[in-house]
Amino acid sequence: MVVDKNGGIYISDWFNHKIRYLKAGTVSTFIGASGNGDVDGDISVAKIKQPDGIALDKNGNLVIACNGNNKIKRLVVD
């Protein structure tokens, strides 16, 4: 988990291949289109597999360690 500057919490959902976002008691799916995989692009179509660690870089971008894809992904957060 990691907390953003607005007090929201990004949660790595390893089993469902998604990144969840929790703010003000509401949980939403931030990234992880239906199913798992390795698809780059807009967060509405992007796919990840077994996200393990997550962090925010100095610019507020989300950095995800995708265990199932053996790679690191960086997402620009608007």
Side-chain angles (χ1 to χ4, degrees):
M1 292 187 290
V2 65
V3 179
D4 69 11
K5 65 183 178 185
N6 300 315
I9 302 171
Y10 292 96
I11 303 163
S12 177
D13 186 349
W14 193 88
F15 291 105
N16 292 304
H17 314 286
K18 300 182 184 318
I19 300 297
R20 309 288 187 180
Y21 187 70
L22 170 65
K23 186 167 183 187
T26 301
V27 177
S28 59
T29 299
F30 180 72
I31 184 173
S34 158
N36 66 56
D38 185 13
V39 177
D40 293 329
D42 184 81
I43 60 173
S44 65
V45 297
K47 291 185 179 186
I48 55 178
K49 185 174 181 183
Q50 299 168 331
D52 202 6
I54 55 176
L56 292 169
D57 69 12
K58 66 180 182 176
N59 297 317
N61 300 312
L62 192 62
V63 180
I64 305 167
C66 290
N67 188 24
N69 293 328
N70 294 318
K71 60 173 58 174
I72 303 291
K73 290 194 176 233
R74 182 171 123 315
L75 299 171
V76 176
V77 178
D78 294 326

